[in-house]
Amino acid sequence: IHSFRQAPFFVMDEVDAALDNINVKKVSNYIRQRSSEFQCIVISLKDIFYEHADSLVGIMRDAASDSSRTLTLDLSAYGAAPGG
C-alpha cells in the first residue's frame, strides 16, 4: 500500500495478534527499516514490538480519580533499540 500511494503516518492496531514471535520480529524490523519514510503508531500486546520501539505510551486506569492516565517513555535516552 505504501509503495503505491504514500502516506506519512500509519496507525497499526494489533497487526501482530495472530503472528508468532519470529514474524512479529520481521514486521517490527520492516517498520524500523521504513521509519525514515513514515511515522507509525503500533498498538500491541507483544513485548517484541516494545523492544524495538523508539518510545512507548501506556494508558492506565486511575481508580482514585475515576479516569485514565498516560505514561510516556522516550527510549532514545537508553541507546539504539535492538535490531535497529
Side-chain angles (χ1 to χ4, degrees):
I1 293 172
H2 181 67
S3 62
F4 174 70
R5 185 169 288 180
Q6 293 186 352
F9 186 79
F10 290 94
V11 176
M12 299 181 183
D13 187 4
E14 295 192 35
V15 294
D16 59 340
L19 301 178
D20 61 4
N21 287 343
I22 292 170
N23 287 308
V24 170
K25 189 169 184 176
K26 288 179 183 180
V27 171
S28 175
N29 287 336
Y30 177 81
I31 292 170
R32 178 160 292 284
Q33 290 170 355
R34 302 290 184 157
S35 66
S36 64
E37 301 171 24
F38 60 83
Q39 295 179 352
C40 187
I41 292 177
V42 178
I43 300 166
S44 177
L45 297 175
K46 297 193 177 182
D47 56 357
I48 291 177
F49 262 115
Y50 306 157
E51 293 172 4
H52 293 273
D54 293 327
S55 60
L56 298 174
V57 177
I59 300 172
M60 60 192 159
R61 181 172 178 256
D62 184 356
S65 65
D66 196 28
S67 64
S68 298
R69 295 180 54 109
T70 60
L71 171 69
T72 305
L73 298 172
D74 179 5
L75 301 180
S76 62
Y78 303 101

